[in-house]
Amino acid sequence: MKVAKFGGSSVANAKQIKKVANIIKSDSSRKVIVVSAPGKRFSDDVKMTDLLIELCYAKQQNQDHDLQLQNIMVRFQEIIEDLGLDQSILEDIQQTIEKYLQFDISPMAQLDALKSIGEDSSAKIVSAYLKHLGLNASYVNPKEAGIFVSNEPGNAQLLPESFSRIYKLREREGVSVVPGFFGYTENNDLVTFSRGGSDITGAILAAGTKASLYENFTDVDSVFAVNPNFVENPKDITVLTYKEMRELSYAGFSVFHDEALIPAFKEEIPVCIKNTNNPEAPGTMVVAERDSTDQCVVGIASDVGFCSLYVSKFLMNREVGFGRKLLNIFEDEGISFEHAPSGIDDMSVIFRDHLFTPEKEQIVIDRIRNELHVDTVSIHRDLAVVMVVGEGLVNTIGVAAKATASFAKAGINIDMINQGSSEVSMMFGVHAVDLEKAIQSLYKEFFTEDESNLTFPSAVARGHQ
């Protein structure tokens, strides 16, 4: 049995939903289907979830929200009419929205309820269309599916006892269409996962049903070895391990939220990333283990918006508890750190720039000076992180040398290197302005044999001025 999840671009309009139906019809083992809210129909479009958030905020601020409601209903009406479905589905959606708008509950709970309508309505529409085509399909509410979660609005966590309930989905006849993104507490309160939560739902159902495969349909043929905004026609990745996928997701790959697949990973259920618009393409498999190859590096990922705090103190290595005391200062100020590379007398703490406001910066620096009595403390902003990822990387001779040499050829200064804590990735910190050159130089080094045919997108082509 397979669990298949279809993202927002796959259910953005009737044309896409028809493709989804054909994919489901083509394989009878696709028994559990998870759907997102309708996504963008074109580049400047607005996602359904964002429309629902706008509606909620207008309501909570006592503003006229008729326009927001109309925009939502027009989108759903267009899909339902183009699929030739009964108007009763549209009436049901509007009644649900109006019910949630009138709920006398906390603002966060109301926001969760309204946000869930995108996925919930997609599931009702897709299941109705499958039945319209003659398939034995049914809409299954997350509560009925057994998805019970903690009462943390916007950040729900699955309760362990859910898995035994979810397993019963295997006993259902036909195709079960489940909305992604939300579950229910034991007290029957609707609560959503974090943004991108439909991927989480899909992984939960794959793990709970012990599926043979979890298919995640999106709008690309596969995962690429590098962001195509930086390199034209980058190489496909055919097979990834869970560890590699998580490292790539963390460092900017947009296929998945970096925590979305954890339920499937824990059960070692293989994941296949496929394209709704080209379902015959093999896609990218994500597995527990893969065969070793001469090419240990599978991908290069990057992300911007980092900040580094550097401290230096003579004989720091002999001072028991120094690192703990330094990180406790960050904890006290509510700042989570990403990395903490260190030397004998030096230590850096890398964190997201948006967490380190000017007010926080002054407090942290003053505390470090007064409590830890360091010789030097300095802040470096506008950092980008570049990660070279691949199983066996730590045991392959020359990877670091090739990476640093590629930076040198491109005239890029490396602000930070960190590898020791990971067996599958090597991380470099560079100035954000050098990120594009850094990515391109690494791609040349690890993925090209004939650089004469290698081209990079221009700034104009990428939409930059």
Side-chain angles (χ1 to χ4, degrees):
M1 189 197 81
K2 297 177 183 177
V3 172
K5 179 261 176 180
F6 293 89
S9 62
S10 301
V11 293
N13 54 34
K15 180 180 178 181
Q16 291 298 100
I17 291 174
K18 290 177 182 178
K19 294 178 184 178
V20 169
N22 287 332
I23 290 169
I24 296 169
K25 287 172 59 181
S26 69
D27 187 343
S28 60
S29 66
R30 291 177 176 129
K31 301 286 286 182
V32 177
I33 308 299
V34 179
V35 290
S36 295
K40 290 184 177 183
R41 297 161 294 183
F42 43 86
S43 60
D44 295 329
D45 199 12
V46 180
K47 295 180 179 180
M48 178 60 72
T49 301
D50 292 325
L51 292 176
L52 290 162
I53 291 171
E54 290 176 10
L55 172 66
C56 182
Y57 287 159
K59 166 65 176 177
Q60 292 178 355
Q61 294 167 11
N62 296 316
Q63 298 173 355
D64 180 57
H65 53 271
D66 288 345
L67 179 60
Q68 286 87 351
L69 179 57
Q70 181 181 356
N71 289 336
I72 292 166
M73 296 311 302
V74 166
R75 282 285 298 275
F76 282 128
Q77 182 176 8
E78 179 182 283
I79 293 172
I80 290 167
E81 288 182 350
D82 289 350
L83 292 174
L85 299 178
D86 194 280
Q87 289 295 304
S88 62
I89 301 172
L90 187 67
E91 294 169 4
D92 176 66
I93 293 171
Q94 182 154 1
Q95 288 172 5
T96 303
I97 293 175
E98 291 174 350
K99 178 181 70 175
Y100 289 160
L101 285 172
Q102 300 306 319
F103 268 5
D104 185 16
I105 51 179
S106 71
M108 282 296 294
Q110 185 176 49
L111 177 61
D112 267 17
L114 286 167
K115 283 193 299 184
S116 74
I117 288 171
E119 280 75 11
D120 197 52
S121 301
S122 282
K124 291 174 179 176
I125 291 170
V126 169
S127 62
Y129 184 63
L130 292 175
K131 283 190 282 189
H132 178 72
L133 296 178
L135 271 69
N136 180 11
S138 58
Y139 160 82
V140 181
N141 183 272
K143 180 166 54 176
E144 187 182 358
I147 301 175
F148 286 85
V149 298
S150 60
N151 193 6
E152 300 174 76
N155 192 36
Q157 304 297 313
L158 187 75
L159 299 180
E161 55 267 30
S162 294
F163 286 113
S164 61
R165 297 167 172 170
I166 292 169
Y167 188 76
K168 295 177 181 177
L169 280 174
R170 296 182 67 98
E171 302 170 3
R172 293 183 66 96
E173 295 287 334
V175 177
S176 300
V177 184
V178 185
F181 192 35
F182 68 99
Y184 286 85
T185 69
E186 294 287 5
N187 292 326
N188 204 35
D189 295 319
L190 186 157
V191 189
T192 66
F193 297 113
S194 57
R195 195 72 185 259
S198 291
D199 286 327
I200 298 174
T201 300
I204 287 170
L205 293 180
T209 59
K210 300 190 182 302
S212 60
L213 180 67
Y214 171 35
E215 297 177 307
N216 195 295
F217 284 86
T218 178
D219 54 4
V220 293
D221 281 352
S222 65
V223 176
F224 298 116
V226 71
N227 189 329
N229 285 328
F230 294 128
V231 177
E232 288 185 0
N233 301 315
K235 292 185 176 181
D236 296 339
I237 303 176
T238 56
V239 182
L240 280 169
T241 66
Y242 299 148
K243 286 183 179 180
E244 290 169 338
M245 187 72 224
R246 179 152 163 73
E247 294 279 357
L248 291 169
S249 296
Y250 163 77
F253 269 45
S254 60
V255 176
F256 291 116
H257 184 282
D258 63 311
E259 298 177 3
L261 294 182
I262 288 177
F265 290 174
K266 286 182 176 179
E267 294 296 320
E268 296 193 355
I269 293 168
V271 178
C272 189
I273 301 161
K274 295 179 73 68
N275 189 351
T276 301
N277 302 309
N278 185 21
E280 300 306 316
T284 297
M285 289 295 299
V286 188
V287 296
E289 296 180 1
R290 66 177 174 88
D291 295 335
S292 60
T293 65
D294 294 336
Q295 175 67 37
C296 74
V297 175
V298 297
I300 301 165
S302 63
D303 203 2
V304 295
F306 290 91
C307 183
S308 172
L309 180 139
Y310 169 80
V311 295
S312 176
K313 185 177 183 180
F314 188 58
L315 298 179
M316 179 193 295
N317 65 313
R318 296 189 183 180
E319 187 173 332
V320 177
F322 182 89
R324 175 183 56 79
K325 294 173 187 175
L326 175 61
L327 295 179
N328 275 347
I329 292 174
F330 281 87
E331 182 181 356
D332 290 345
E333 301 304 325
I335 302 169
S336 60
F337 76 98
E338 303 286 331
H339 309 279
S342 63
I344 297 175
D345 297 323
D346 313 85
M347 186 170 180
S348 294
V349 183
I350 313 298
F351 43 90
R352 298 282 178 175
D353 190 80
H354 68 88
L355 298 174
F356 208 53
T357 63
E359 295 78 17
K360 292 279 188 183
E361 177 179 331
Q362 193 58 53
I363 293 171
V364 168
I365 289 178
D366 287 346
R367 286 192 61 184
I368 290 172
R369 285 175 174 156
N370 295 333
E371 298 174 25
L372 302 181
H373 310 292
V374 300
D375 300 322
T376 304
V377 56
S378 58
I379 302 292
H380 304 278
R381 293 188 181 270
D382 298 321
L383 285 179
V385 165
V386 183
M387 294 184 75
V388 177
V389 177
E391 290 275 6
L393 183 148
V394 71
N395 296 319
T396 304
I397 297 171
V399 175
K402 291 176 72 174
T404 54
S406 74
F407 286 142
K409 291 176 189 175
I412 298 168
N413 184 57
I414 301 173
D415 291 324
M416 181 265 296
I417 302 177
N418 188 23
Q419 180 188 5
S421 59
S422 173
E423 295 183 354
V424 299
S425 69
M426 183 179 299
M427 184 179 70
F428 300 91
V430 300
H431 292 299
V433 295
D434 291 328
L435 177 61
E436 183 174 336
K437 288 194 299 180
I439 293 290
Q440 293 172 352
S441 65
L442 286 170
Y443 189 83
K444 286 180 183 178
E445 190 67 46
F446 290 107
F447 290 98
T448 62
E449 297 177 1
D450 180 11
E451 296 184 10
S452 63
N453 294 324
L454 186 63
T455 59
F456 300 118
S458 67
V460 173
R462 291 195 312 275
H464 300 307
Q465 300 298 318

